[in-house]
Amino acid sequence: MQKYVIYTRVSTQEQGRSGLGLEAQDRDIELFLSQFNDKPYSVLERCTDVLSGTNDDRPELDRALGVCRKTGATLLVSKLDRLSRKVSTISAIMDDKKVKLRVAQMPYADKFQLHIHAALAEQEREFISARTKAALAEAKAKGVKLGGLRDATMKRNEIVKANAAARAEKVAGIVLPLREAGEPLREIANRLNEAGVATARGGSWQASQVKRVLDRLESR
């Protein structure tokens, strides 16, 4: 029988109390267990941390890993970033010979693919951070005062635009060649889903989302 230890994480005390984020993770995990698990299974433990993804002090993750090492159970998470937002931390877990890892949203991914995904996600966060800082600096140079209700809204809009542009750049290497080859929007969305590339909200691609990405890339 396949044994699992389930680990979930949310970033703030508010999310931990309200269940925001945890319910979505639980849904992903239950979907994996019901549709992508090919043998009878049992869940030995469910461990949850309410901490930032950059915080390395994770008592519940440590407990989950301890149970995996002791019992041979597989550590199951909904998304890779629930383990950590640091590729070094994720790599250390994957390199542990006593720990097997499965990610619900990437049910067929092997260790190599998970490592690449973690590295790309870290690069994306660094790029988004740099793009956001550049956008805010440009707004400031134009005389936009980043304070008060109206200015706070403008600041949020700048950040949203910068983040959207960064995400578009990330998939440009896949989307543009396919579009130039005459592939329809729906087929490009299918290709992105097959490659395991998630949308900004961690979901599946649709033709309308591909169209928005192409529009952003064309307006560069």
Side-chain angles (χ1 to χ4, degrees):
M1 177 177 286
Q2 176 67 56
K3 295 177 291 187
Y4 288 108
V5 173
I6 293 172
Y7 176 72
T8 54
R9 179 184 64 79
V10 286
S11 299
T12 65
Q13 292 291 340
E14 288 74 17
Q15 285 179 312
R17 285 194 294 267
S18 68
L20 295 174
L22 290 176
E23 291 181 358
Q25 292 175 62
D26 288 340
R27 283 196 300 269
D28 287 345
I29 288 168
E30 292 306 316
L31 181 62
F32 171 87
L33 292 173
S34 63
Q35 297 191 25
F36 296 94
N37 182 68
D38 57 1
K39 62 179 69 174
Y41 71 89
S42 64
V43 176
L44 302 186
E45 295 282 351
R46 290 179 178 265
C47 305
T48 300
D49 275 316
V50 184
L51 294 164
S52 166
T54 59
N55 190 331
D56 291 328
D57 183 17
R58 309 273 200 83
E60 286 299 290
L61 177 58
D62 290 342
R63 184 167 74 88
L65 292 171
V67 175
C68 289
R69 296 183 184 111
K70 183 178 180 180
T71 65
T74 296
L75 182 67
L76 176 59
V77 296
S78 64
K79 294 176 62 178
L80 201 55
D81 67 4
R82 296 304 87 193
L83 284 179
S84 178
R85 294 189 180 277
K86 297 180 180 179
V87 67
S88 58
T89 301
I90 294 172
S91 294
I93 292 173
M94 290 192 292
D95 288 341
D96 190 327
K97 295 181 179 180
K98 293 185 178 181
V99 175
K100 291 172 288 185
L101 174 65
R102 296 297 299 273
V103 179
Q105 288 193 8
M106 303 176 69
Y108 302 120
D110 57 24
K111 282 191 173 183
F112 176 75
Q113 292 169 322
L114 291 175
H115 183 89
I116 294 298
H117 185 80
L120 289 174
E122 185 172 84
Q123 288 182 24
E124 180 187 25
R125 286 190 295 274
E126 291 175 355
F127 186 84
I128 288 173
S129 176
R131 176 66 70 88
T132 300
K133 290 178 181 177
L136 294 176
E138 182 179 353
K140 185 176 181 180
K142 291 178 179 179
V144 177
K145 295 182 179 180
L146 302 178
L149 182 60
R150 181 178 177 182
D151 293 333
T153 300
M154 294 177 65
K155 180 179 178 180
R156 285 196 299 271
N157 290 340
E158 290 288 345
I159 292 173
V160 169
K161 289 172 60 179
N163 289 348
R167 289 193 296 271
E169 293 288 349
K170 181 185 176 185
V171 298
I174 299 175
V175 172
L176 290 178
L178 290 173
R179 191 58 171 169
E180 290 170 1
E183 294 286 358
L185 298 175
R186 181 176 297 178
E187 180 59 26
I188 296 174
N190 291 338
R191 295 287 190 91
L192 289 166
N193 292 330
E194 290 170 0
V197 178
T199 64
R201 296 185 178 182
S204 299
W205 286 85
Q206 305 294 330
S208 59
Q209 294 165 304
V210 174
K211 179 64 166 60
R212 286 196 292 271
V213 166
L214 287 169
D215 289 343
R216 290 189 182 101
L217 293 173
E218 290 173 0
S219 64
R220 289 181 298 185

